[in-house]
Amino acid sequence: QDFDELGDYSVELLPKPPSGRLALKCDPMPSGKQLDDYLGFFEEKQELGYNILYIPSITYKAACLSSLARILEINKTLTEAFGSKLPDDYPYLLEEKYFMDTLHHLNPEGRRIKTEAFLEFIKARLATTQQ
């Protein structure tokens, strides 16, 4: 778990166990310093003239519930830093039925929900940048 070379925060989750149920493993959330470093990385890109669109990831509802407050705090910080507004109904967490074999892989219905949420987020961001 950490930021990868593209600036994405990645959390490794265990694959679906043989019992057929998704494993519930949530790695530590980023520290304040890691979040500051992440923001600094993108602030440098913004100073070069890039526009940043931050869209939060979507994960399995039963995973990371103990970290949900921190996840929401991080997403609020990032969306505000990049001038975005996160919709109140943004689907941070989906039920198990929307995943295939791991917490990373959405099934077709899960991908539809994620795609629609991303499109709404992009539309809202474009509306604020074209004013």
Side-chain angles (χ1 to χ4, degrees), residues 4-130:
D4 66 17
E5 65 277 0
L6 300 175
D8 293 324
Y9 182 72
S10 62
V11 178
E12 283 298 315
L13 302 169
L14 295 174
K16 195 173 196 177
S19 68
R21 298 207 33 96
L22 295 174
L24 301 179
K25 179 179 183 286
C26 185
D27 289 316
M29 294 294 104
S31 67
K33 174 157 179 9
Q34 289 172 317
L35 189 56
D36 289 344
D37 290 346
Y38 186 75
L39 287 169
F41 172 84
F42 285 106
E43 286 169 359
E44 290 174 8
K45 303 305 179 226
Q46 287 175 308
E47 289 170 6
L48 293 172
Y50 290 93
N51 290 315
I52 307 295
L53 175 65
Y54 170 75
I55 302 176
S57 61
I58 295 172
T59 193
Y60 175 41
K61 187 174 187 176
C64 301
L65 283 179
S66 64
S67 300
L68 183 57
R70 179 70 176 143
I71 292 168
L72 296 175
E73 176 187 335
I74 289 167
N75 285 316
K76 181 176 187 257
T77 299
L78 294 173
T79 53
E80 289 175 356
F82 300 129
S84 302
K85 181 182 184 316
L86 196 61
D88 293 333
D89 62 348
Y90 187 79
Y92 290 104
L93 305 172
L94 293 177
E95 300 290 338
E96 181 176 351
K97 67 182 181 180
Y98 295 109
F99 293 85
M100 292 187 309
D101 55 347
T102 72
L103 303 181
H104 295 293
H105 302 139
L106 291 165
N107 64 25
E109 182 62 13
R111 288 192 306 271
R112 184 194 62 75
I113 291 169
K114 181 178 180 177
T115 300
E116 288 177 7
F118 279 26
L119 288 172
E120 289 304 312
F121 195 88
I122 291 167
K123 286 179 195 175
R125 180 68 170 119
L126 285 173
T128 62
T129 59
Q130 295 175 350

